[in-house]
Each structure stands twice: as C-alpha cells, then as structure tokens.
Amino acid sequence: MSFLAAAHWLERLLGKVHENDQHKALLWDFHDKARQLVEYGEWDNMLPCLKRLTHDVKGNKKWVTLDGDIFFQDLLAARLNKADSQQDKDNLNELINSLQQLNNSVYTEHPSPFYAVLLMDGDSLGDALKIAGNDVKISKALAAFTQGVKGIVEKHCGFLVYAGGDDVLALLPLENALNCADKLQRFYKTCFEAEQLNATLSGAIQFAHINTPLTHLLHNAHDLLDNIAKAQTGRDSIAVRVWKRSGKALEWAMPWSLATSDDELLIHQSLKRFAGQDAYDPLPANQFFYRIRDLFAILEPVPEKQTDIHWYCKDDADFQALEQQQLSLLAAEYKQSGLVDSTLHIENAKAQIKGLLSQCRLSRRYICPETEQVQFEYSRYLQADAAFLIRFLANHGMWEARL
C-alpha cells in the first residue's frame, strides 16, 4: 500500500530529477542506500502509471520495483526503532538522512501516506432480472462492463483486485479515486444503455493511512456502500470516508447526479477553486473550513436520527428562501477568508461558493411511487465534511497524517 500512496510523488520526483545533475546524484545516492535494506520487487506487478516512466528516464525500472516503505520517513523511523544490529541502524539512519536531503533539494513536500480502497456494486440488478427477456441483455452489459473496468482503473494509476458482474474492488492513489469511481459509474450506465436498459452503480471510497489494516477497510467499505451510499442516499450514489489513525475523520455521500456538473465532480471543481489548477498545489493555510463548520453548527445542527429530518423538493418556496439565506452567509464568510480578494462582489462570491454549498447539503435520491421517476430531496441541514474532504484532497492527506 505504501507504494500505491507514494506513486504520484515518485512520478513527479523522477520527472524532475533527470533535468538536474545534482538532483540526479542525490536520487541515486538514496537508491543505493535503499538497496542495502530492501530488494527489488516484481516488475509485472507494478502500477501502469509508473511503468510508463521507464520510457522517459533511464534506470527508472529499478525505482518502480523497490519496496514503497522506503519513501516514508515515519516508516523508516519505525524500522529503526526495531532494528537489532548496529549495521542496520547505521544503514537506516543514512537512508533517512538521504531521503530528507532529497526532499529538501527537489521538493518541499513528502509523499502522501494515504491511499484509497474503492468498492462498487450495481443497484437493484435483481429486480431487473425478474423481467422476462432481460437476462440475456443484462449478461451482455455486464460482460462489456467487466471487460472495460481494468483499463479504466489502470488509467487512474490503480490496481484492480477484482471485477466480476456488477462488483468492483480496486486500490488507488488518493488523487485518482473519485475520478475513477465517476468514470466507472458512467461506463456502467453506457454498457446497459447499449442494451436498451437503465442501470446504475453505487460506490464507496475509503481513504486511509497506509498503516491501517486492509481487512478493516474492506469490512467497513461494505457498510459504507450498503448503508450510506445505497440505503441512506438512495442508490446511484457515492459515499466517502476518511480514516485517521484514531478513527473516522469524515464522511460524505451524494447521489451521482448531484455530485457532478458539466461532466466533472463538484468536489473537484471546488478543489481547483481553492487550491489552484495544479492538482499538486497545496491548499493555503486557512481557517475558512473550520469557520464554516462552526457556522453550520450554529445555523442548525443535523439531527441524530434520519427520521427527524424534514425533506424538501427543489422547487419548494421555503427551501429556496432558506438556500439563498445560507448561500449569502457562506459567501460573506468566503469573502473574509483571505482565499479571495475581500472586494469581490457578493454575487460573484455566491457563484464561486455555490458548488461547495450544494455538496455540504444533506441530500438523497428516491423513486417517486406515483410516477416511478427518479426524484431528489434536499434537507435544510449542512455538513462541513464535504469542505474537509476538499481540504484533505488538496493537501494530499498530509493534515490528517499529523493527527
């Protein structure tokens, strides 16, 4: 898991050092010290995004098959504490110093210690199978989907654990998980539409530290998928949890139709707005997310029981008035955050923050009994976990790693 978490850091590192002889020397000094402690792994098991690097920089094949633990100073320090021989201790100290020197010379960042577990499952497929004549069409659609899953996962630098029928389990770098899930659910719909059928795919993403036991994440992913993405949010939805070492840090869920706009995830649109167009720009130090969490709690805390939540239709006059009031408050806070010029017109601030507000709203999908059409319901309650998810992604999990 450590190599998966460090994949994009290593990709950027190897892309930079070949342009600078001094950096290249530091890189290979680190490599040689690492080789005194770890062996090369299997080339055939390597992530596709890292395999591609071997065509760009001579010698990269050696790098992308090393034990990923060597890229994390905390993991090396843990090994140092357990080392028995003085020789191992000396080698580890040299490797830690070499890694620090490499980071200081080439980067100001360290690799993210977080990766993602993605679990996806088709919605209500059993009901569709009950309709006469659907079985052959469904089989063709599922076969097409299964055949295309691996390519989508690998395009997002992931490792496909399995894809069978309407089930998918994959491991991905933090940066790729949400986009991969979105592309898979779109592809699933396309495969069924080719057979003149409507079908949807729900997903669950667990972001966790590389030291978190995978068995725990897999067990919890089923709970997140079945109880949050499907039962609570209404299927055709995505649910996300972020785990820190002491437990759950945040949880966010949204129907796919409400999570995207213009073929892009609204979470990623907000991420670009706050952190910049470069996917690797860190989010500036700012208290904005903490302030809106406090603001949401003051406005109206979310009831503990789902049965206590009152739901609105989008065109409900009371809901629209409430939404505008909440948007005005959030826009005013945004103007004073330091993330934008405080002279920004309030209407422009509203336009920039509206996507974030929509992702903070507790919402759900349902099938109207009278029309059998998909409808969406919206609550008056706002949760800051969507904002903290943006912060987590922008900082590549580094804020959570220190908690």
Side-chain angles (χ1 to χ4, degrees), residues 57-75:
V57 184
K58 185 178 179 180
N60 275 354
K61 186 171 182 177
K62 294 180 178 180
W63 275 97
V64 298
T65 54
L66 284 171
D67 182 345
D69 285 6
I70 66 168
F71 304 123
F72 294 91
Q73 193 165 327
D74 288 349
L75 297 185

Side-chain angles (χ1 to χ4, degrees), residues 10 13 19 31 87 127 136 139 142 155 171 210 216 245 315 333 353 381 383 385-386 395:
L10 182 58
L13 177 71
E19 301 171 355
H31 168 272
Q87 183 63 54
D127 293 339
V136 174
S139 294
L142 290 176
K155 187 176 180 180
L171 308 177
I210 51 181
H216 164 75
R245 301 188 203 193
D315 57 359
E333 189 65 49
I353 212 72
Y381 305 106
Q383 296 177 306
D385 280 3
N395 291 329

Side-chain angles (χ1 to χ4, degrees), residues 51-217:
K51 278 188 178 182
R52 290 193 291 268
L53 286 172
T54 59
H55 301 297
D56 301 327
V57 184
K58 185 178 179 180
N60 275 354
K61 186 171 182 177
K62 294 180 178 180
W63 275 97
V64 298
T65 54
L66 284 171
D67 182 345
D69 285 6
I70 66 168
F71 304 123
F72 294 91
Q73 193 165 327
D74 288 349
L75 297 185
L76 293 176
R79 285 193 185 190
L80 178 61
N81 291 334
K82 297 178 180 178
D84 295 324
S85 70
Q86 187 59 46
Q87 183 63 54
D88 284 346
K89 291 180 180 178
D90 291 342
N91 288 342
L92 281 163
N93 273 319
E94 289 183 5
L95 184 60
I96 290 171
N97 290 334
S98 180
L99 177 60
Q100 188 65 53
Q101 188 176 7
L102 183 65
N103 270 325
N104 290 342
S105 298
V106 183
Y107 279 123
T108 57
E109 64 173 281
H110 294 272
S112 168
F114 280 79
Y115 73 104
V117 176
L118 170 63
L119 181 66
M120 305 195 80
D121 180 56
D123 300 312
S124 305
L125 199 57
D127 293 339
L129 282 167
K130 295 175 183 177
I131 301 174
N134 273 2
D135 52 344
V136 174
K137 292 181 178 180
I138 289 173
S139 294
K140 288 182 179 179
L142 290 176
F145 175 69
T146 301
Q147 189 174 5
V149 167
K150 185 177 181 181
I152 294 173
V153 171
E154 290 186 348
K155 187 176 180 180
H156 291 84
C157 201
F159 176 78
L160 180 64
V161 179
Y162 69 75
D166 60 342
D167 296 321
V168 175
L169 176 63
L171 308 177
L172 295 125
L174 175 152
E175 297 90 341
N176 301 92
L178 274 167
N179 269 337
C180 183
D182 184 32
K183 294 299 185 293
L184 286 171
Q185 67 93 11
R186 292 173 187 268
F187 179 59
Y188 186 84
K189 290 177 180 177
T190 299
C191 291
F192 276 83
E193 287 169 357
E195 300 298 328
Q196 290 78 51
L197 294 173
N198 293 321
T200 59
L201 188 73
S202 290
I205 297 175
Q206 303 256 74
F207 291 110
H209 192 277
I210 51 181
N211 284 340
T212 306
L214 182 58
T215 51
H216 164 75
L217 295 176

